[in-house]
Amino acid sequence: MTPIPSHGPGGGGSRRGSLGDVTDEALRDGELSLEPTSGSAEFHGFAVLIDEERVGTVALRPDGRREGSIRWNLGDHGSFAASRALRLGIQHAFTELGWERVWAQVDVDDTTDLRSASLAGLRREGVTRRSGAPDRVLVGRLIDDPPALSREGFVSILNAGLPRKRVIAQGLLRDEHDRVLLCELTYKREWDLPGGVIEVGESPGTGLVRELHEELGITVDLGALVTMNWLPPWREWDDACLFVFDLGRIDAATVEDMELQRTEIAGVHWCDLEAARAHATGATVELLEALEAGELPAYREAPLQPE
């Protein structure tokens, strides 16, 4: 474990934090204990003992703002022992050092240390990038977080670490000539159906209505779900679940009155299938071709697209 710059100051005074069954007495949790080995204004080191045998180390490094980093090394003694040692170290930081936040960084591929941190009550907060080295997961714990071994604490830690799938909602908007509206985008050369990425806590339908109002200046009536299309990773984009809704028909001249969000939308175009093949993303063309060929299944997977 390697300390990193802190993310913002803590605040308030010292309070006692709760970390499950860990006791404050002598930094001990059953047969496992922490024994101070060094201490200064810049560093607090501990030996980790199991049945009085030294098995590793834990270190706390304050940053002067009521928070600091925690590092650990327990070799091959596993996540459970490491998490118990970490809980003791975090408890000491909160109750004796007056910290209000403890954080650490773990290499993204170090599953043992990531599990240790999670079991100790450190929540996933994000990923920091490094040039020429593995990215690192930033984890942290606040003094007033629920106890790590409580139901509320467990759910909070689990939720923070679960994958978050990108969700996109797009709409099939047609004119009186059965052409489909495609958007010419500022950030990629291919055209695409109107819509966009759904925000956290937002439903796909609500997000689609919002996107069209923001980007095209129109209010649409949400129709039936046409299909849910899984998009594999493409270029710099991660994979995503794409909800495609029927938005009905409007007069072709309506585009003349649209108020385009010029930072993202360079133009809008009514396209038949031939025009779509010439300009649209591969996934959009494949979807429109499948739609013309017949009814789409409720769930489908788009093929891999060329780079």
Side-chain angles (χ1 to χ4, degrees):
M1 306 298 301
T2 303
I4 59 171
S6 172
H7 286 246
S14 174
R15 298 189 295 255
R16 181 172 297 273
S18 176
L19 290 167
D21 298 328
V22 173
T23 65
D24 293 328
E25 183 179 359
L27 289 173
R28 178 175 293 276
D29 179 11
E31 78 287 359
L32 186 147
S33 63
L34 299 188
E35 179 180 287
T37 57
S38 60
S40 67
E42 293 79 28
F43 188 81
H44 304 271
F46 301 88
V48 180
L49 308 179
I50 296 180
D51 290 328
E52 306 306 320
E53 178 185 354
R54 179 169 176 153
V55 297
T57 59
V58 168
L60 297 164
R61 186 181 296 276
D63 64 8
R65 293 179 293 181
R66 295 191 182 277
E67 62 179 74
S69 65
I70 187 166
R71 297 179 295 168
W72 64 96
N73 183 358
L74 269 82
D76 299 326
H77 286 272
S79 298
F80 184 60
S83 68
R84 294 166 67 197
L86 284 172
R87 287 201 298 270
L88 288 170
I90 294 169
Q91 181 81 344
H92 181 77
F94 288 156
T95 60
E96 302 301 326
L97 302 181
W99 294 7
E100 294 195 339
R101 179 171 178 264
V102 179
W103 51 262
Q105 269 193 325
V106 184
D107 285 352
V108 293
D109 55 357
D110 191 338
T111 56
T112 298
D113 273 353
L114 284 171
R115 178 168 175 77
S116 300
S118 178
L119 290 171
L122 292 160
R123 295 190 198 180
R124 183 185 178 106
E125 296 181 346
V127 176
T128 60
R129 299 177 301 149
R130 296 190 300 165
S131 178
D135 293 345
R136 285 178 172 172
V137 178
L138 176 66
V139 294
R141 182 168 182 81
L142 304 179
I143 190 172
D144 49 6
D145 281 343
L149 302 183
S150 69
R151 179 186 179 279
E152 183 182 7
F154 175 78
V155 170
S156 298
I157 294 164
L158 183 64
N159 186 61
L162 286 174
R164 297 192 175 219
K165 181 74 70 178
R166 179 175 292 133
V167 174
I168 301 171
Q170 292 181 336
L172 287 167
L173 188 60
R174 301 180 185 274
D175 69 359
E176 63 271 25
H177 305 295
D178 207 33
R179 296 177 299 182
V180 174
L181 187 70
L182 294 181
C183 295
E184 182 181 352
L185 305 170
T186 61
Y187 52 87
K188 60 184 178 183
R189 59 181 178 267
E190 297 88 359
W191 299 355
D192 214 341
L193 293 170
V197 177
I198 303 308
E199 296 179 354
V200 175
E202 184 179 52
S203 74
T206 300
L208 178 58
V209 173
R210 173 188 55 76
E211 285 282 341
L212 267 65
H213 184 265
E214 291 176 353
E215 296 184 354
L216 305 182
I218 61 174
T219 300
V220 298
D221 293 324
L222 193 68
L225 180 69
V226 176
T227 189
M228 199 283 279
N229 211 22
W230 178 75
L231 304 178
W234 180 57
R235 294 180 182 163
E236 296 82 13
W237 303 98
D238 291 338
D239 72 313
C241 292
L242 168 62
F243 291 79
V244 183
F245 292 90
D246 183 8
L247 300 180
R249 297 179 186 273
I250 61 174
D251 191 282
T254 304
V255 298
E256 299 174 6
D257 298 322
M258 289 183 179
E259 298 178 1
L260 306 186
Q261 187 180 50
R262 293 297 180 180
T263 56
E264 295 191 30
I265 309 297
V268 291
H269 309 274
W270 291 113
C271 297
D272 57 18
L273 189 53
E274 183 178 355
R277 290 190 181 110
H279 296 287
T281 65
T284 298
V285 172
E286 190 272 338
L287 175 68
L288 295 176
E289 289 176 339
L291 186 62
E292 185 171 276
E295 293 186 1
L296 297 181
Y299 169 79
R300 58 198 304 280
E301 297 183 1
L304 290 172
Q305 301 301 311
E307 293 297 319

